Amino acid sequence: MTAAATGLLAGAAQPAAGTSPDEPRSTEQQAFESAAAEFGVPAPLLLATSYQLTRWEDHRGEQSKAGGYGPMHLTEVDFEQLRRENPKLRKLADNPTLHTLTEAAELVDLPPEQVKRDPAQNIRAGAALLAERAKQLGDGQLPNTLGGWYPAVAELSGSPQASGARSFADSVYEVLDSGRSRTTSTGQQVGFAKIPEVTPDRDLTGTNLADVQAARVEPKAECPAELDCKYIPAAYAPTDPEDPTGGYGNYDTANRPKDVRINSIVIHDTETSYQSTISLFQNPAHGSASHYVIRSSDGEVTQMVPTKDMAWHAGSWDRNMRSIGIEHEGWAAEGGTWYTEQMYRSSAQLVKYLADKYDIPLDREHILGHDEVSADKPEQAGGEHYDPGPYWDWAHYMNLLDAPLDGDTGGDDVVTIFPRFDTNRPVVTECPPKEECRELPSQPANFLYLRSAPRDDAPLLSSASVHPDGSPGTTRIEDWSAKATVGRQYAVAERRGDWLALWFDGKKAWLRDPGGVNTAPADDAELVTPVRADVPTYGMALPDADEFPNGLDPLVIKPLPYKLPQGQVYVAGRASRAIYYNVGYDGVNDPNNHKVVLGGETYVPISYNHRWVYVKESDLEEA
């Protein structure tokens, strides 16, 4: 251990690189240093651990998708609710990584609610928990070297598998080696200086970490050579090891593209930290995973599911069959805080590699956001995801893919949505559960609001699935009924002065477009129109029931709550034949596992509203 590290074991922190020792420390910086000294944790280690869990963000006390709160991401999962929803998940209650909040709160003798909402107390509780883990592993003693904290950091990762825990602990020590400094979204200056040449003790003997993957030889990450990539396996296992027929996670094995062609890449955000996402995907009870996860701070890529397999990432069986999912560390409501240039560039390099490998077109039909994926069943319409959200810079991203959007303005028959990102700052609101709605900070956004008439005070467009009562659309971040996103293409219905009407969601949708400043021509787009009134739309391109073979229960396709009125015109995507891929857990003997069912009908995806939907080719004609 270096001399610099020796002096840090009492909890003192050196200034971050680029700062002066005389600079005033922020409240949060002081909270880290005070908590470190109180519980005997090296301050840089505590800061590095929190940085890799949350980048020192507390998200206003809101719970992450992984169940965590505050800068230390202390977790609290409602086990009773889990048991009610699925009795097979009863064993989750034994997993200490899912209920660290209560334990940490007890260690500092505070109510859990205070530890959730108060960043300073959250940091105190996290430091106490880290020290407690270290004492449990050290016969009641704290480590006397910085490297000796490695097993305790690994246990605090939240990952149920040693592979994920090691990855997190390694990343913490990498951060120690280089130092970090940043200003949080609430204006807190936080940082620590680098501590080079620390040798971590990577022996996890005696920890609670299971290493069921130890006997497996994991595949090499499928990545371009110039990217920093690693492979950590997502869970492919029953939720109850004693009953493999009772459900499993978090993906399906497959043989793509031989069985099903991969035709798209779906861009997600995690709504929790990079590490928490990896931990979730290693738990079979989570019920979802993506193929890749990308870290915000430096663009590091972790592959978790082989691309030949079907990750459960899109909330749509049809899209899962045909796509690759990429999660980006971040929160949709905090967009620019998390969508860093390093992340954009790593993601673009990865997408170009995958697009070349699987012959996926680099356009906004095939490179799309999770918020553009429609539900595959009518009862799910309106409740779809909205990530990566309004602050993902699609124009910049497409430039990085060497597939720039058209730089011209306007369009006669069909347009591409293309406002200037840096000056387009519409109002967006967020309404957390049990809290007052609030307007999010003004920042560049990737969409234009659509109105029901060509005037600024006209109600926002409404969608039947989002607002079944017919009320107008809203500025809420999850309300996609009146949003037209950058790169999407729509047929022109009318121009009236500075206003442009699109055919959108079965109606005329008006947006401000003086001189074509917010749109670009899309002259190469294929336009279609329905052959009759009220043509149905679908979320899946399924074979008909009588096309399923004997012994395999057919899925019956049901229309979405959207119709194509006669006379309207929509942009069409690439047509495809109806297909269904029947797949289940490989550990169960099922003769129909991995069976491909092809139908005789051809379906056409259309740019209908904020999302893509399917229409039978026989119900369409060229416009």
Side-chain angles (χ1 to χ4, degrees), residues 363-381:
D363 58 41
R364 287 284 283 111
E365 176 191 349
H366 300 91
I367 311 299
L368 71 162
H370 196 186
D371 54 353
E372 296 170 277
V373 175
S374 176
D376 50 17
K377 299 171 184 172
E379 60 270 21
Q380 297 169 337

Side-chain angles (χ1 to χ4, degrees), residues 2 25 132 134 208 262 319 334 410 574:
T2 65
R25 293 170 297 170
E132 180 66 18
N208 294 320
I262 300 172
R319 185 65 68 173
E334 299 173 9
R574 290 192 178 187

Side-chain angles (χ1 to χ4, degrees), residues 29-322:
Q29 179 81 26
Q30 292 180 41
F32 276 110
E33 295 176 5
S34 174
E38 180 179 1
F39 296 102
V41 180
L45 183 79
L46 183 63
L47 282 156
T49 301
S50 175
Y51 181 87
Q52 293 300 67
L53 286 169
T54 64
R55 286 210 306 166
W56 304 318
E57 297 284 350
D58 79 307
H59 308 292
R60 301 180 297 276
E62 294 174 22
Q63 189 177 36
S64 78
K65 194 167 68 174
Y69 291 92
M72 293 303 296
H73 201 259
L74 299 172
T75 54
E76 179 181 71
V77 176
D78 187 339
F79 297 115
E80 291 305 319
Q81 180 180 346
L82 284 175
R83 291 188 184 99
R84 289 193 300 270
E85 292 174 353
N86 186 350
K88 298 291 185 183
L89 304 185
R90 62 187 182 276
K91 294 186 178 180
L92 282 178
D94 298 327
N95 185 345
T97 66
L98 298 179
H99 50 90
T100 59
L101 179 80
T102 301
E103 180 185 0
E106 289 176 352
L107 289 171
V108 292
D109 195 26
L110 288 173
E113 278 301 315
Q114 186 174 355
V115 174
K116 286 180 186 177
R117 310 297 177 191
D118 185 332
Q121 296 304 332
N122 185 276
I123 292 166
R124 275 191 73 229
L129 184 64
L130 182 58
E132 180 66 18
R133 292 285 185 270
K135 289 177 182 177
Q136 290 170 354
L137 295 169
D139 295 326
Q141 301 297 314
L142 292 176
N144 58 13
T145 68
L146 200 52
W149 287 83
Y150 183 98
V153 172
E155 282 214 336
L156 212 65
S157 70
S159 180
Q161 304 296 339
S163 56
R166 283 188 188 281
S167 174
F168 173 72
D170 287 344
S171 73
V172 168
Y173 279 80
E174 288 166 7
V175 167
L176 279 175
D177 186 62
S178 57
R180 283 293 187 274
S181 178
R182 72 180 294 264
T183 302
T184 70
S185 61
T186 57
Q188 295 287 309
Q189 301 268 344
V190 187
F192 60 93
K194 64 180 179 180
I195 307 176
E197 301 177 13
V198 176
T199 302
D201 178 4
R202 302 181 79 251
D203 183 3
L204 298 184
T205 303
T207 67
N208 294 320
L209 296 162
D211 200 2
V212 298
Q213 308 289 345
R216 293 179 53 181
V217 177
E218 301 300 346
K220 182 180 178 181
E222 302 168 81
C223 279
E226 62 271 21
L227 264 189
D228 179 14
C229 291
K230 57 186 176 182
Y231 189 95
I232 298 175
Y236 181 69
T239 52
D240 184 348
E242 298 173 5
D243 182 12
T245 66
Y248 63 101
N250 288 319
Y251 64 94
D252 280 301
T253 61
N255 188 21
R256 304 187 308 171
K258 181 181 178 182
D259 290 344
V260 182
R261 181 175 179 265
I262 300 172
N263 68 4
S264 59
I265 296 172
V266 180
I267 303 300
H268 303 259
D269 79 46
T270 60
E271 297 297 315
T272 190
S273 72
Y274 177 73
Q275 172 57 34
S276 296
T277 302
I278 292 170
S279 299
L280 285 174
F281 292 170
Q282 288 202 302
N283 186 337
H286 180 58
S288 68
S290 66
H291 293 89
Y292 296 89
V293 186
I294 302 182
R295 189 160 62 197
S296 169
S297 60
D298 57 4
E300 180 185 87
V301 178
T302 293
Q303 184 176 8
M304 301 198 69
V305 179
T307 58
K308 72 176 183 65
D309 293 335
M310 286 171 46
W312 303 346
H313 66 96
S316 160
W317 186 258
D318 185 275
R319 185 65 68 173
N320 286 345
M321 283 194 299
R322 307 168 188 263

Side-chain angles (χ1 to χ4, degrees), residues 267-433:
I267 303 300
H268 303 259
D269 79 46
T270 60
E271 297 297 315
T272 190
S273 72
Y274 177 73
Q275 172 57 34
S276 296
T277 302
I278 292 170
S279 299
L280 285 174
F281 292 170
Q282 288 202 302
N283 186 337
H286 180 58
S288 68
S290 66
H291 293 89
Y292 296 89
V293 186
I294 302 182
R295 189 160 62 197
S296 169
S297 60
D298 57 4
E300 180 185 87
V301 178
T302 293
Q303 184 176 8
M304 301 198 69
V305 179
T307 58
K308 72 176 183 65
D309 293 335
M310 286 171 46
W312 303 346
H313 66 96
S316 160
W317 186 258
D318 185 275
R319 185 65 68 173
N320 286 345
M321 283 194 299
R322 307 168 188 263
S323 67
I324 292 169
I326 304 177
E327 290 276 2
H328 298 77
E329 182 184 25
W331 277 255
E334 299 173 9
T337 303
W338 292 89
Y339 301 153
T340 63
E341 187 63 17
Q342 298 96 316
M343 174 183 281
Y344 278 125
R345 291 186 177 276
S346 289
S347 181
Q349 285 180 282
L350 178 61
V351 166
K352 285 194 288 186
Y353 165 84
L354 295 169
D356 180 68
K357 181 175 181 177
Y358 291 112
D359 193 26
I360 300 170
L362 290 172
D363 58 41
R364 287 284 283 111
E365 176 191 349
H366 300 91
I367 311 299
L368 71 162
H370 196 186
D371 54 353
E372 296 170 277
V373 175
S374 176
D376 50 17
K377 299 171 184 172
E379 60 270 21
Q380 297 169 337
E384 300 99 329
H385 288 245
Y386 59 91
D387 59 300
Y391 306 125
W392 180 265
D393 190 349
W394 279 112
H396 178 52
Y397 192 59
M398 298 308 290
N399 282 336
L400 292 174
L401 293 177
D402 299 323
L405 304 175
D406 195 319
D408 203 351
T409 57
D412 296 326
D413 299 320
V414 58
V415 295
T416 300
I417 304 299
F418 196 19
R420 181 172 169 176
F421 184 72
D422 57 347
T423 58
N424 184 50
R425 293 172 174 255
V427 171
V428 181
T429 54
E430 183 182 36
C431 302

